[in-house]
Amino acid sequence: MNILGIDIGGSAVKGAPVDTRTGKLLAERLRIETPGKVSPQRMGEIVASIAEHFRWRGRIGAGFPGVVQGSTIRTSANLHEKFVDCDLGAIIEKATRRRARIINDADAAGVAEMRFGAGRGQKGAVLMLTLGTGVGSALFWRGVLQPNTEMGHLPIRGKSAEKFIAASARRIRDLSWKEWGAELGDYVRILEKILWPELIIIGGGVSDKHRKFFKYMKTRAPLVPAEFFNDAGIVGAALAGTGKV
Ligand code: BGC
């Protein structure tokens, strides 16, 4: 089935049609910058413009950086607070006149990696972390997703862990790869004590620089970079759009 996958992020919304049997993008992705915090209605219009660009007539799957229950958003740490408790699925369906499903962005990335990437064939507990503006997590057992794990909000020194260990925090705090990698390692070891994953996948834009920081992380479980790098969110959102995730 071909689905239009949309990855809603803090600085941009990205989309492309995806062949959900292979995980391949069927066209070059479109990226629309979103300067400032956009409202849910405006987000609906942005998604509609992406659908229009691809002359899309089929279903849509969209990943959102917050807790998602059904098609309703429950948290919005890095986007407009107006998203909280709004039915984003209904807004997108109204704006595009297409069927739409919503999934947490890190869950989407994890689903793509489990199906087609670094987690392929893994039957044990797998933890995927996405390091970007925030920190997202996706947890799998026997390939099945436990949705909305929010490991980026584990409290550390009185704040959400993502304030210290997101990729954005490395730049804001002006940390070296070694300093940041060591802090990230400490954080991942806390998660290991609680969740006991058998494989840890690190995604997000920084994952292609994993050689710079994996060496400072001492984890028990094998640590691997995501294979999809930047497109996992789009591919996983499209998989969610099938209604079978
Ligand atoms: C949100 C998560 C999201 C992550 C990455 C966090 O702030 O709470 O839901 O997956 O950022 O975007």
Side-chain angles (χ1 to χ4, degrees):
M1 196 189 281
N2 296 343
I3 309 268
L4 180 63
I6 305 275
D7 187 7
I8 297 174
S11 50
V13 183
K14 294 166 271 178
V18 176
D19 179 342
T20 58
R21 284 160 312 169
T22 60
K24 297 260 183 300
L25 303 197
L26 295 165
E28 196 177 323
R29 68 180 191 169
L30 178 67
R31 183 176 200 276
I32 297 187
E33 304 278 336
T34 52
K37 288 189 167 185
V38 303
S39 68
Q41 304 304 329
R42 177 82 191 100
M43 189 58 79
E45 290 163 16
I46 291 172
V47 173
S49 69
I50 295 177
E52 203 48 51
H53 170 83
F54 292 109
R55 299 185 199 293
W56 195 250
R57 299 282 168 262
R59 293 186 189 195
I60 297 173
F64 181 86
V67 171
V68 179
Q69 290 178 327
S71 58
T72 301
I73 306 303
R74 295 299 181 198
T75 68
S76 176
N78 298 306
L79 287 189
H80 206 299
E81 48 284 359
K82 278 194 182 152
F83 279 100
V84 176
D85 293 333
C86 101
D87 186 340
L88 185 61
I91 290 173
I92 291 179
E93 289 194 341
K94 191 162 173 230
T96 61
R97 285 176 278 126
R98 307 281 167 258
R99 298 266 311 274
R101 295 236 178 200
I102 314 293
I103 184 173
N104 169 266
D105 61 349
D107 285 348
V111 163
E113 290 292 335
M114 291 300 284
R115 186 77 59 88
F116 302 113
R120 243 180 354 254
Q122 292 288 334
K123 293 287 171 232
V126 179
L127 174 66
M128 162 125 190
L129 294 175
T130 62
L131 308 173
T133 311
V135 173
S137 58
L139 186 64
F140 297 85
W141 162 240
R142 295 197 174 145
V144 176
L145 171 71
Q146 163 70 48
N148 293 316
T149 54
E150 286 280 321
M151 296 302 156
H153 293 287
L154 188 84
I156 290 185
R157 285 175 254 151
K159 289 188 184 165
S160 284
E162 67 177 17
K163 299 278 176 242
F164 301 103
I165 48 100
S168 58
R170 187 185 71 81
R171 290 189 296 269
I172 294 166
R173 298 173 67 208
D174 199 18
L175 297 182
S176 66
W177 288 105
K178 184 176 181 182
E179 289 163 327
W180 180 71
E183 278 195 40
L184 182 60
D186 290 345
Y187 161 75
V188 173
R189 271 202 308 280
I190 296 173
L191 299 185
E192 285 201 285
K193 275 190 190 162
I194 302 165
L195 302 171
W196 281 84
E198 288 152 84
L199 177 70
I200 301 167
I201 305 172
I202 302 289
V206 288
S207 59
D208 60 355
K209 302 205 175 59
H210 64 275
R211 286 200 180 78
K212 291 189 192 284
F213 62 94
F214 271 20
K215 56 189 168 201
Y216 306 117
M217 299 172 69
K218 308 256 172 305
T219 59
R220 179 185 178 103
L223 192 63
V224 294
E227 286 180 14
F228 272 98
F229 297 123
N230 265 332
D231 291 336
I234 294 176
V235 173
L239 289 169
T242 64
K244 291 187 195 125
V245 168

